Amino acid sequence: MTTLAPTGAKSQLGSTTKKSFGKTPDGQPVDLYVLTNKNGSEVSITNYGGTVVSLKVPDRSGKIADVVLGYDNVEGYAEGKSYFGAIVGRYGNRIGHAQFVLDGKTYTLAKNNGENSLHGGVNGFNKAVWTAKTLSSKDGQSLELSYLSKDGEEGFPGNLKVTVIYTLTDDNALRIEYSATTDKKTVVNLTNHSYFNLAGQGSGDILGHLLTIEADKFTPVDSGLIPTGELRDVVDTPFDFRKPTAIGARINQDDQQLKLGGGYDHNLVLRRPAGSGESLAARVVEATTGRVMEVWTTEPGVQFYTGNFLDGKSAGKGGATYPKRSAFCLETQHFPDSPNQPKFPSVVLNPGQRYHTVTTYKFSVEK
Ligand code: GLA
């Protein structure tokens, strides 16, 4: 294990260490970076997929628990199909019929989700080995990850240079800053796919977590989970999380959209005030531990997913099992299928422009 920065008492300053996380199936060595802040919170990130492997934060009595699902080693991530903790790209979420048109040219992607493309294709950014560099940051410990997605990779046009900076701040927030540039017109939609359970990973279902989402509308989907194009009011639907509501309160209601998703697996349209900074997207409270997580973002949407496809079969960290609905995701993003939906906010990136988005998961406690 190597201590990278800074030296000094860990309990007062925070630190970053690096250790081996094993080898990818094709033999590339990858590492695990452990960032600790001055309060003893800790995030572990591997440069395989830019994945958040663990995230340890205190409860109301100061007890630390790991609040994200994951695997103990790189093999788990290489084999896994759930995108635990990963950076998802080049296009997070679905593209209908696995194709889109830019300047009259049709681009064809792999159909890895029924008829559609999901999360960047067969070998998305979650399977890439990223270049890692520790950075000094004024408010915590940072890790910069970069990746060059080549022109034509997974069918997308343009050499896309991507940088993701993770910062664990001294006030228990995990900030993720995504940047990208291209040499050809392309589409980009990056997110992080962490699965949260604020009572601790492997500790049962998340149906009792209280959720608020700053959204008045959502994007209803068809049977392939592709948005129909409608922005539907959440009023009188199980998608109304404008006031704190238990995730499980309405999840089994006889509702067509919930049935299509097998639970919640939908994009909500965030109520974003004008301006370019981050705004509050969602707040989650777990009453037994008092842990609170707020999600702040510059993105217009968030995919709320209740782990409907988890089946408890593969072994998670420390032997934990992850049954259906044992975690939730709040994937900040542009809307699914935006390349084919002219009325949705644009995901097109041109040469000379810089893609730049920020999402922060802020942890605190309630008494
Ligand atoms: C996203 C999708 C889900 C599912 C998960 C990964 O949240 O919307 O349908 O594919 O990723 O299992």
Side-chain angles (χ1 to χ4, degrees):
M1 189 168 84
T2 332
T3 299
L4 297 164
T7 52
K10 178 169 161 177
S11 57
Q12 285 170 24
L13 287 176
S15 66
T16 299
T17 60
K18 171 185 170 181
K19 55 189 173 194
S20 169
F21 198 50
K23 283 189 178 162
T24 64
D26 61 357
Q28 298 184 67
V30 289
D31 295 312
L32 187 70
Y33 293 82
V34 183
L35 284 58
T36 311
N37 75 6
K38 64 182 185 189
N39 299 314
S41 290
E42 182 195 286
V43 62
S44 304
I45 299 162
T46 173
N47 62 322
Y48 182 72
T51 304
V52 174
V53 171
S54 69
L55 179 53
K56 298 179 181 171
V57 291
D59 71 2
R60 65 161 72 86
S61 64
K63 195 172 150 240
I64 303 277
D66 183 358
V67 296
V68 293
L69 274 48
Y71 301 109
D72 285 326
N73 50 43
V74 71
E75 287 80 25
Y77 291 97
E79 285 160 22
K81 302 264 182 280
S82 304
Y83 303 86
F84 287 163
I87 299 296
V88 177
R90 180 178 305 200
Y91 196 90
N93 215 307
R94 292 175 176 78
I95 296 180
H97 301 289
Q99 63 178 38
F100 62 94
V101 179
L102 276 181
D103 289 341
K105 187 165 184 241
T106 301
Y107 293 93
T108 304
L109 313 168
K111 293 181 175 168
N112 63 336
N113 189 243
E115 280 300 292
N116 306 317
S117 162
L118 176 67
H119 291 336
V122 178
N123 286 305
F125 291 4
N126 58 304
K127 303 274 184 207
V129 176
W130 296 63
T131 303
K133 189 167 119 192
T134 55
L135 296 179
S136 55
S137 125
K138 57 181 186 327
D139 59 348
Q141 303 285 314
S142 298
L143 182 71
E144 180 188 274
L145 297 169
S146 17
Y147 176 62
L148 170 66
S149 170
K150 296 230 173 87
D151 186 10
E153 185 181 279
E154 290 293 332
F156 292 98
N159 287 296
L160 188 77
K161 280 190 193 159
V162 190
T163 305
V164 174
I165 300 174
Y166 282 106
T167 301
L168 178 67
T169 70
D170 286 328
D171 54 3
N172 293 351
L174 179 64
R175 183 171 68 233
I176 315 177
E177 202 177 331
Y178 306 83
S179 315
T181 54
T182 185
D183 61 0
K184 250 188 214 170
K185 192 170 189 172
T186 191
V187 295
V188 191
N189 192 26
L190 305 178
T191 192
N192 176 278
H193 209 307
S194 286
Y195 285 67
F196 298 96
N197 185 326
L198 299 183
Q201 63 101 21
S203 71
D205 71 58
I206 43 72
L207 299 175
H209 285 51
L210 291 177
L211 171 67
T212 313
I213 306 182
E214 301 292 321
D216 301 311
K217 294 188 188 312
F218 73 108
T219 50
V221 290
D222 66 15
S223 58
L225 299 187
I226 298 295
T228 60
E230 179 190 352
L231 304 186
R232 190 177 292 171
D233 213 307
V234 297
V235 173
D236 295 331
T237 78
F239 296 84
D240 186 354
F241 283 96
R242 292 172 302 166
K243 300 225 166 69
T245 308
I247 290 176
R250 299 161 301 185
I251 200 166
N252 294 319
Q253 265 182 17
D254 185 13
D255 174 89
Q256 190 217 16
Q257 284 297 316
L258 285 175
K259 285 191 177 144
L260 289 171
Y264 294 100
D265 195 351
H266 293 78
N267 171 67
L268 285 99
V269 178
L270 294 171
R271 198 188 295 136
R272 292 255 311 133
S276 59
E278 286 175 275
S279 58
L280 181 66
R283 185 168 195 272
V284 191
V285 180
E286 202 289 306
T288 64
T289 59
R291 285 197 188 89
V292 178
M293 181 177 84
E294 284 182 1
V295 184
W296 290 70
T297 190
T298 58
E299 289 281 22
V302 65
Q303 183 83 5
F304 172 45
Y305 171 59
T306 41
N308 312 316
F309 298 121
L310 296 175
D311 60 10
K313 284 189 188 143
S314 51
K317 284 181 284 188
T321 55
Y322 304 135
K324 187 171 170 178
R325 304 203 175 134
S326 56
F328 65 88
C329 301
L330 288 165
E331 304 153 56
T332 54
Q333 60 181 10
H334 270 55
F335 307 168
D337 197 32
S338 295
N340 295 310
Q341 304 263 0
K343 291 196 178 137
F344 288 178
S346 173
V347 289
V348 173
L349 183 71
N350 289 295
Q353 290 179 326
R354 178 169 175 252
Y355 172 95
H356 183 244
T357 71
V358 187
T359 293
T360 307
Y361 295 95
K362 299 184 181 179
F363 295 89
S364 60
V365 290
E366 256 178 27
K367 292 299 163 195

